[in-house]
Amino acid sequence: MSRNRTYRKPLGVVMSHHIRNRRIRKAGVAALIAAASAVALTACGSNDSSSDAKGSSSSHASSSAKSSQSDASVHSQAGNQAATLGGGTDKARAATECQPGTLRAKLDTAGTSQAGMNHRGTFLRVTNTGDETCVISGYAGVALEGAGHTAIETTARHGSTYFATDPGSHPITLAPGKSAWADLVWTTTGASTAHAKYLQISPTGSNSHSTVPFAQDLDNGTLSLTAWSSKPPING
């Protein structure tokens, strides 16, 4: 006598199939997530690269523009400085002072006698012997010498003299061969008389000077003189 039997899978086998199916589903989901992440990362990387390229290009363009502006500024400043220096050079050239080596000094009466009331006088004359026009101003330097060119203590007074009004220090332009004059006066009262034989004349007041004969007896070794003038300064 046969019996009908229902076959049932062992519980362990059923559980094993469920577990395997779950693992397959999880693996599939994980694969999908990984793929999506890779796509997203690729897209972001592409955007970042594009952004970097744009940023680098923009930065380079900005740097180039700044460099060009800087170069233009430098060239402009250099041009301004050159113009300034050029102007300064022109002014200096126009106001070149007469150099002692190009000036010759001497005594000159200029056809006028200066004598009266124990005062005697003559003119200093300075001539530009150079090839270029120059400017002279101020007062000449003077010093007395005795016999044998021994030094005599000298006092020089600047200003108006007994015979001439002082024109004051002012620039005088001397073309080649042209002259300037100054009045030179002394007294002869017999007070502490200095017996001069020579006179040193320094047109610009420097150490460079001309020595001319000056045989005069004068009081206290004192000389009065006016500033240089474009013509002999004499009161009318």
Side-chain angles (χ1 to χ4, degrees):
M1 183 175 177
S2 63
R3 296 180 180 178
N4 293 325
R5 292 182 180 178
T6 301
Y7 178 77
R8 296 180 178 177
K9 291 181 181 180
L11 181 60
V13 173
V14 174
M15 291 296 292
S16 175
H17 282 295
H18 286 302
I19 291 169
R20 187 165 48 216
N21 289 337
R22 254 189 236 145
R23 288 177 178 172
I24 291 171
R25 285 197 298 274
K26 288 182 178 179
V29 172
L32 288 173
I33 292 172
S37 298
V39 172
L41 288 173
T42 301
C44 289
S46 176
N47 289 337
D48 289 342
S49 175
S50 176
S51 176
D52 288 342
K54 289 180 181 178
S56 176
S57 176
S58 175
S59 174
H60 180 71
S62 176
S63 176
S64 298
K66 289 180 179 178
S67 178
S68 298
Q69 292 175 355
S70 176
D71 290 344
S73 176
V74 168
H75 289 308
S76 177
Q77 291 177 2
N80 291 337
Q81 289 178 353
T84 300
L85 289 174
T89 301
D90 291 340
K91 289 180 180 179
R93 188 179 295 113
T96 299
E97 294 183 358
C98 295
Q99 299 302 307
T102 65
L103 298 174
R104 185 180 72 244
K106 66 177 184 177
L107 300 178
D108 187 354
T109 64
T112 301
S113 175
Q114 299 187 64
M117 299 294 292
N118 296 320
H119 288 80
R120 299 288 185 272
T122 189
F123 295 109
L124 303 179
R125 180 177 179 177
V126 62
T127 303
N128 178 9
T129 63
D131 298 325
E132 297 182 0
T133 298
C134 60
V135 174
I136 190 172
S137 63
Y139 298 83
V142 290
L144 297 168
E145 291 183 356
H149 294 281
T150 57
I152 294 177
E153 185 175 349
T154 307
T155 300
R157 294 177 177 173
H158 297 166
S160 296
T161 69
Y162 186 79
F163 302 103
T165 300
D166 183 29
S169 179
H170 63 286
I172 301 169
T173 301
L174 293 182
K178 296 300 181 179
S179 301
W181 286 263
D183 194 35
L184 180 71
V185 175
W186 59 96
T187 60
T188 58
T189 64
S192 301
T193 301
H195 304 286
K197 296 297 181 181
Y198 303 95
L199 178 69
Q200 295 180 6
I201 307 171
S202 174
T204 62
S206 67
N207 290 329
S208 178
H209 63 269
S210 300
T211 302
V212 297
F214 187 70
Q216 300 290 337
D217 294 334
L218 62 160
D219 296 336
N220 304 305
T222 300
L223 295 167
S224 296
L225 68 156
T226 63
W228 289 117
S229 177
S230 57
K231 61 182 182 179
I234 191 71
N235 295 336

